[in-house]
Amino acid sequence: MTGLRQRLLTEAWGGTWHRMWRTKKVASGVMETPLSRCLSTLDITLLGIGHMVGAGIYVLTGTVAKDTAGPGIVLSFLLAGLASFLSALCYAEFGARVPKAGSAYVYTYVTVGEFWAFVIGWNIILEHMIGAASVARAWSGYVDSFFDKALSNFTMSTIGQMHAGYLASYPDFLAFFVTLIYCSFLTLGVKGSAYFNSIFTLINLCVMSFVVIVGMYFADFTNWTSGDGFLPFGFSGIISGAATCFYAFVGFDSIATAGEEAKEPAKSIPRATLVSMSVVTAGYVLVGATLTLMVPYYSLNPAAAIPDAFAAHGATWAKYVVSIGALCGMTTTLFGSLFSLPRCVYAMAVDGLVFSWLARVSDKTKVPIITLLLCGFFSALIALLFDIEKLVEFMSIGTLMAYTIVSASVIILRYQPASRCNIKSPSHTQIATPTPVGPPSPTTPMEDTMKGEGGELRSSFRWLLPVIGQREAGVVVAWTVVVFTMISAALCSLLQFGSDFLALPYPAVWAVFLAIVLIIALIFSVVVITAHHQNELILSFRVPLVPLLPLTSIFFNVGLMMHLNPMTWLRFIVWMVLGLVLYFAYGQHHSREGEPVSSYSTLLSEPAPAGNTVFGSVQHTLSHVTAKIASAASEDKKPIVEQDEAGNDDL
């Protein structure tokens, strides 16, 4: 790279530390990064398992079995696991495409654009902060229960109680310091942190295996057949239980945040995602089945279902084994949230959407220490002051929105021309057919114009042309995905809030007519998408049955969002207003989307201009930087992001 280009890029990036972040393809075919690439597939798999299998398996199982689904909790976990698995498949494909930190934020950035990526990233930040705080408070409460509430009673008698709104009844100092202590472990480096997580996750898995193996010794299958039978709450109980159990699977996206720290991200992330989801789903199903076979579902104690089930058979000693598993599970879940949170902030800071100093990485530990400590402090502060039970549902809306957009992004990229989604990843090749600019001429068949690229209308569906018109390849599919999502929201809202009008035997005519129209519109949207050719990119992992599986995932996620409390949507709006103020006041003016190095351009073989995504983005163009870069390009035609083709086939 010439001296002029070096000087201009250094000036554009605002400091020498930005030069650390510049990426290039090395002989191994993996992009360089200031973070440390030291995690194996096993490390990442255990990270995902640890983040998902926390206190939920010891508390949630008893609650859902007793009050919602009965023995049908087995089917609830299977259904919830299926819905989560669909989203996990989409994350796995993006993990093969985009080996970078940031998870859904980066995936949205390279597909839909900067503005929507900021929306997702801003919600992921809140998700992980509340997630870490809630687990820290649960950890503290579990320890407090060992001492017969001595810690909480001492705090309330010494400091007093808090009686304001969403604040907790007393400040939880143990949760505050536990969060800070775990943060200090993470600052030591990602490999040491991975060892710490792996040990506790393996202990938790051993405890789960103990519960299943020993518990099955006390199994009595009459608990599934006598009384109200296997489905005492009916089919609706299974669905309600699945909606609750769905949140037990939240956490697999932490695998994707390790994209820049995996040795072979294009292979490790898809494998780790699929293996961890399979293990966790099997674990939840087996524990649920064991628990409801040991004792009748109606006799379960939701607060301590598993220990009490063993105590009912005289095995009171099992309480201590289960307690070890619960503490280890909560420890790894807290670790997973604190691991993922700073990496999402780091990715946004690198792109200029939040303050640039949050992207600084320690030379010694290869960890964004400033970001980690700041995020850990705010998580600890939330755990100290707030009543987490009233805020946990708030976490769900950001998660579901991220899952929805990632699923939609998979479809959008599959139906874009190959040269337009030329993401720089060692795991794929692409067709080098140039993409025509603008729509094809009326006299030229669309399929001939874009042959082999993807996004073109199939010849057998040319009867759709009067409806969709002549459009640039990929545009129709992209907007159809948006329409499908909006129709899904309308249909789910009708089923949720207008169920009384659809109830038999005398449903309202207008409600039935509206439901039929929405269903037909959904089916037509699917037909329009499948009427186009997919591109022929070869990835190390591809979601099967596209677009059906991602569209099903979108429908499930939107349906769950419609079930959230209205107050959750109000809090979401308030949080988004704060985020948009930050974006338009700072992020828009410091965005690097149009520069040679950003989450978008570093993943493309050629830097794309600002807003050159499917829907574009809302950003301010740094015209003076663009002019300087253009001037440098005219003097030196070498690519800004250097590539070494020597290791192109290593992966």
Side-chain angles (χ1 to χ4, degrees):
M1 186 177 287
T2 65
L4 176 61
R5 291 169 70 83
Q6 179 73 30
R7 180 177 60 79
L8 292 177
L9 290 177
T10 302
E11 179 182 349
W13 293 340
T16 56
W17 64 269
H18 281 294
R19 291 197 298 269
M20 293 174 56
W21 181 80
R22 229 171 15 196
T23 57
K24 68 179 181 177
K25 226 178 209 184
V26 294
S28 64
V30 179
M31 289 189 297
E32 288 183 346
T33 169
L35 304 178
S36 175
R37 287 202 179 275
C38 58
L39 298 182
S40 65
T41 302
L42 179 62
D43 293 330
I44 301 174
T45 302
L46 292 176
L47 174 66
I49 294 174
H51 198 175
M52 284 185 279
V53 182
I57 198 167
Y58 303 99
V59 179
L60 183 67
T61 306
T63 302
V64 174
K66 181 176 182 178
D67 301 328
T68 309
I73 189 175
V74 174
L75 300 180
S76 293
F77 272 128
L78 281 175
L79 187 59
L82 174 62
S84 301
F85 195 77
L86 295 177
S87 297
L89 288 174
C90 298
Y91 271 79
E93 176 167 323
F94 265 107
R97 288 180 182 269
V98 188
K100 282 180 63 63
S103 186
Y105 161 75
V106 170
Y107 302 164
T108 307
Y109 201 125
V110 302
T111 309
V112 185
E114 175 191 278
F115 176 76
W116 291 106
F118 177 86
V119 170
I120 291 300
W122 187 245
N123 280 284
I124 289 176
I125 291 173
L126 182 66
E127 169 201 337
H128 288 309
M129 277 200 300
I130 294 179
S134 62
V135 175
R137 192 128 191 155
W139 195 98
S140 172
Y142 209 89
V143 173
D144 190 30
S145 66
F146 282 143
F147 300 98
D148 296 324
K149 305 293 182 181
L151 298 177
S152 56
N153 291 334
F154 175 78
T155 302
M156 288 187 285
S157 62
T158 305
I159 299 178
Q161 291 184 307
M162 300 183 294
H163 302 282
Y166 290 99
L167 296 181
S169 58
Y170 66 94
D172 194 334
F173 291 101
L174 179 58
F176 178 84
F177 288 112
V178 162
T179 304
L180 294 182
I181 290 172
Y182 284 178
C183 266
S184 66
F185 284 140
L186 286 167
T187 61
L188 300 178
V190 65
K191 192 61 179 178
S193 302
Y195 283 138
F196 175 82
N197 174 79
S198 299
I199 291 172
F200 278 82
T201 300
L202 290 173
I203 294 175
N204 192 20
L205 291 176
C206 289
V207 172
M208 288 175 58
S209 301
F210 164 83
V211 169
V212 173
I213 295 172
V214 179
M216 281 296 180
Y217 177 77
F218 301 111
D220 182 1
F221 283 90
T222 60
N223 290 325
W224 279 11
T225 57
S226 62
D228 296 326
F230 186 73
L231 300 177
F233 297 93
F235 183 74
S236 61
I238 296 176
I239 301 300
S240 299
T244 303
C245 294
F246 176 83
Y247 306 114
F249 295 91
V250 170
F252 66 81
D253 54 339
S254 62
I255 295 173
T257 63
E260 284 191 52
E261 290 155 302
K263 294 177 181 177
E264 298 179 303
K267 296 180 180 178
S268 296
I269 293 178
R271 292 173 182 173
T273 300
L274 300 180
V275 171
S276 62
M277 279 297 303
S278 301
V279 170
V280 170
T281 302
Y284 275 127
V285 169
L286 290 174
V287 170
T290 301
L291 186 61
T292 53
L293 284 172
M294 290 178 67
V295 294
Y297 76 92
Y298 49 80
S299 66
L300 290 171
N301 175 14
I306 297 177
D308 284 5
F310 279 101
H313 294 277
T316 54
W317 52 269
K319 171 184 177 180
Y320 302 101
V321 178
V322 173
S323 298
I324 292 174
L327 287 176
C328 289
M330 286 184 279
T331 297
T332 55
T333 302
L334 177 58
F335 174 89
S337 293
L338 293 176
F339 178 90
S340 304
L341 175 57
R343 282 154 180 81
C344 182
V345 177
Y346 160 81
M348 296 176 70
V350 161
D351 294 324
L353 301 186
V354 295
F355 306 112
S356 58
W357 49 269
L358 293 172
R360 296 178 182 174
V361 176
S362 168
D363 292 332
K364 183 177 181 180
T365 62
K366 304 299 183 182
V367 171
I369 291 181
I370 296 177
T371 304
L372 175 59
L373 293 177
L374 187 64
C375 293
F377 174 78
F378 279 112
S379 298
L381 194 62
I382 295 174
L384 175 69
L385 299 175
F386 288 94
D387 185 353
I388 301 302
E389 291 182 2
K390 297 179 182 178
L391 293 177
V392 165
E393 192 179 52
F394 189 22
M395 176 181 69
S396 305
I397 192 169
T399 303
L400 292 170
M401 183 172 291
Y403 290 178
T404 301
I405 291 187
V406 169
S407 299
S409 298
V410 166
I411 302 174
I412 291 172
L413 276 185
R414 283 289 191 94
Y415 288 92
Q416 289 295 303
S419 57
R420 194 179 301 161
C421 55
N422 185 17
I423 295 177
K424 182 179 296 182
S425 169
S427 64
H428 79 250
T429 58
Q430 73 274 343
I431 304 169
T433 308
T435 305
V437 179
S441 64
T443 58
T444 305
M446 187 180 298
E447 199 162 353
D448 292 340
T449 306
M450 295 296 299
K451 186 175 182 180
E453 278 282 277
E456 68 275 7
L457 186 67
R458 299 176 186 270
S459 58
S460 57
F461 287 90
R462 293 187 62 81
W463 54 271
L464 285 173
L465 282 177
V467 179
I468 63 177
Q470 295 279 3
R471 297 288 185 269
E472 187 176 355
V475 171
V476 172
V477 171
W479 282 107
T480 304
V481 171
V482 176
V483 171
F484 178 91
T485 305
M486 296 173 64
I487 297 173
S488 298
L491 180 59
C492 292
S493 298
L494 177 63
L495 297 176
Q496 172 70 9
F497 303 108
S499 57
D500 293 339
F501 298 101
L502 294 170
L504 297 174
Y506 302 108
V509 176
W510 67 267
V512 174
F513 177 77
L514 181 57
I516 293 175
V517 169
L518 292 175
I519 292 173
I520 292 175
L522 278 180
I523 296 173
F524 182 73
S525 299
V526 176
V527 171
V528 170
I529 295 174
T530 54
H532 292 77
H533 282 289
Q534 297 184 30
N535 58 50
E536 300 180 17
L537 294 178
I538 301 174
L539 303 172
S540 61
F541 177 82
R542 287 168 62 95
V543 178
L545 300 178
V546 172
L548 296 181
L549 288 187
L551 288 177
T552 305
S553 176
I554 291 173
F555 187 83
F556 277 157
N557 295 330
V558 170
L560 290 172
M561 290 173 70
M562 294 300 107
H563 278 76
L564 295 177
N565 191 296
M567 284 302 298
T568 301
W569 285 94
L570 180 60
R571 297 178 204 129
F572 169 75
I573 293 172
V574 172
W575 176 251
M576 282 310 308
V577 168
L578 295 176
L580 292 177
V581 169
L582 173 63
Y583 177 78
F584 288 109
Y586 180 87
Q588 188 184 39
H589 303 286
H590 295 80
S591 168
R592 298 191 179 90
E593 187 181 22
E595 295 185 22
V597 179
S598 70
S599 279
Y600 182 62
S601 60
T602 57
L603 297 168
L604 301 177
S605 60
E606 298 179 3
N612 190 23
T613 53
V614 176
F615 302 112
S617 63
V618 182
Q619 76 150 20
H620 174 70
T621 304
L622 301 176
S623 56
H624 65 286
V625 175
T626 305
K628 290 181 179 180
I629 294 173
S631 175
S634 64
E635 178 180 325
D636 185 356
K637 298 296 183 180
K638 293 182 180 180
I640 299 294
V641 181
E642 299 175 350
Q643 295 190 45
D644 183 356
E645 299 296 333
N648 222 18
D649 298 327
D650 288 357
L651 293 180

